[in-house]
Amino acid sequence: MRPVAPEKEGPRVNEDIRIREVQLIDQDGQNKGIVPTREALGMAQEAGLDLVEIAPNSVPPVCKILDYGRFKYQNQKKANEARKKQHVVEIKEIKLRPGIDTHDYDVKMKAIHRFFEEGDKVKVTLRFRGREMAHQELGYKLLNKVRDELATIAKVESEPQLEGRQMIMVLAPR
């Protein structure tokens, strides 16, 4: 029993195309119509290029005469460009305390503005210590102040909620 050759990645090229006839597009982009595969291969070899299956699922499959190495290079380049333009949204965390001073608050707000400009989400964490737990309304007031100040550039993804000794609110850029 012969071992089965593994399937290659990418489109089928030249002798790998085992269909009787194909829809042929030549190197100039002209549609030559339905042509026997052997004839299409001959035309590709005459031009010094490859016969590449572009649309294998159509009937008959669409094949194009082109330089396969160049075709692979251009596809790889397109994929790299798409990857470069992709932006992963991160969740940045800002930690506050209920008794935060005005200047410290302003510094934190500047950081939040910077995170939104970069397109990231912000998780505002308010930590209570000791007796501060008895005054949770101060925490709600502070988080509502943050929400109101950022209303124009951010939307609330999760409302302020208490988890143990922390109150958490998540904001996302508009």
Side-chain angles (χ1 to χ4, degrees):
M1 194 167 140
R2 280 188 2 206
V4 180
E7 278 293 312
K8 277 195 250 173
E9 282 292 309
R12 291 188 287 189
V13 185
N14 297 334
E15 278 75 30
D16 292 343
I17 302 169
R18 294 199 176 90
I19 286 82
R20 194 176 338 182
E21 46 189 24
V22 294
Q23 177 82 29
L24 183 67
I25 299 169
D26 69 4
Q27 62 269 31
D28 303 321
Q30 301 296 317
N31 189 347
K32 295 290 185 186
I34 297 172
V35 178
T37 306
R38 290 277 151 230
E39 192 180 313
L41 259 169
M43 291 168 74
Q45 286 168 347
E46 270 177 39
L49 297 169
D50 302 302
L51 183 66
V52 180
E53 194 173 45
I54 301 297
N57 297 334
S58 59
V59 179
V62 179
C63 291
K64 193 171 185 179
I65 296 175
L66 48 79
D67 181 356
Y68 183 61
R70 187 165 170 230
F71 174 74
K72 266 176 56 176
Y73 172 73
Q74 286 175 336
N75 279 354
Q76 193 176 12
K77 220 167 148 185
K78 276 184 203 167
N80 284 344
E81 279 299 312
R83 208 173 297 122
K84 271 184 199 166
K85 290 177 183 166
Q86 202 171 46
H87 176 72
V88 178
V89 176
E90 290 182 43
I91 296 183
K92 304 283 188 170
E93 186 174 18
I94 292 287
K95 293 184 178 178
L96 302 174
R97 295 282 313 283
I100 191 168
D101 203 25
T102 52
H103 180 263
D104 296 336
Y105 176 80
D106 293 340
V107 170
K108 299 282 188 182
M109 290 306 284
K110 261 189 200 158
I112 291 174
H113 278 278
R114 191 178 69 243
F115 294 152
F116 285 140
E117 284 167 14
E118 293 167 5
D120 295 323
K121 292 181 181 181
V122 177
K123 177 180 175 182
V124 183
T125 303
L126 187 70
R127 175 164 281 143
F128 294 102
R129 285 166 68 183
R131 255 188 225 154
E132 292 172 346
M133 282 300 287
H135 302 287
Q136 291 174 14
E137 72 280 354
L138 293 175
Y140 278 110
K141 269 188 199 166
L142 184 60
L143 288 180
N144 287 335
K145 181 179 170 187
V146 169
R147 180 181 50 202
D148 296 341
E149 267 188 46
L150 297 171
T152 56
I153 62 166
K155 60 180 180 271
V156 177
E157 211 166 75
S158 76
E159 290 291 330
Q161 58 193 27
L162 196 66
E163 293 178 8
R165 291 189 160 272
Q166 296 183 39
M167 198 173 284
I168 296 170
M169 174 173 70
V170 178
L171 303 167
R174 282 195 189 272

